[in-house]
Amino acid sequence: QVQLVESGGGSMESGGSLTLSCKTVGTTFTYYVMAWFRRAPGKGREAVAAIDSDGITRYRDSVKGRFTISRDNLRNSLDLHMNNLNPDDTGMYVCAARPGKYGYPDYYFETFVYSLWGQGTQVTVSS
């Protein structure tokens, strides 16, 4: 059974940094499209960043220049390096995966692209 297991969340003051990790268990994700979504209190789920097997990345405008998504295919691991955090970054961060290649980067922020979801890790940023 394939599972996505997130880690690395926590509480942080504004301006701080965190790195989230998502480990894929039960499969190798070399050709997967991977993404981070988040859900903030009172808000819907929103895509934060995505990366495909060719290294093509997409970022939400509000995190560009602050967040970096990366993947390690040997470790089946996806990371999200978050710098200069602010309270608007608070939320449950969830890892998502789509097995196989998907050649439409314009859709990487759409939830229908992904069939595997983790349980999430909480990030709380205080002012």
Side-chain angles (χ1 to χ4, degrees), residues 51-90:
I51 185 169
D52 66 15
S53 59
D54 293 323
I56 295 173
T57 58
R58 282 196 64 187
Y59 293 95
R60 183 175 193 79
D61 285 346
S62 63
V63 308
K64 287 180 180 177
R66 299 189 298 120
F67 290 12
T68 302
I69 189 170
S70 64
R71 63 192 294 160
D72 185 332
N73 291 336
L74 292 178
R75 296 190 302 115
N76 289 331
S77 180
L78 176 76
D79 291 336
L80 184 67
H81 307 277
M82 306 185 294
N83 296 317
N84 195 20
L85 287 161
N86 62 64
D88 289 338
D89 296 318
T90 293

Side-chain angles (χ1 to χ4, degrees), residues 13-53:
E13 291 186 350
S14 290
S17 299
L18 277 175
T19 294
L20 306 182
S21 293
C22 172
K23 182 79 171 176
T24 305
V25 180
T27 188
T28 56
F29 79 175
T30 305
Y31 297 108
Y32 283 29
V33 181
M34 306 291 296
W36 287 98
F37 287 76
R38 69 186 179 195
R39 185 188 296 274
K43 296 182 180 179
R45 181 165 48 187
E46 60 186 24
V48 177
I51 185 169
D52 66 15
S53 59

Side-chain angles (χ1 to χ4, degrees), residues 4 22 33-37 78 94-98 114 116-118:
L4 304 179
C22 172
V33 181
M34 306 291 296
W36 287 98
F37 287 76
L78 176 76
V94 180
C95 175
R98 176 190 171 90
Y114 304 95
L116 299 171
W117 296 84

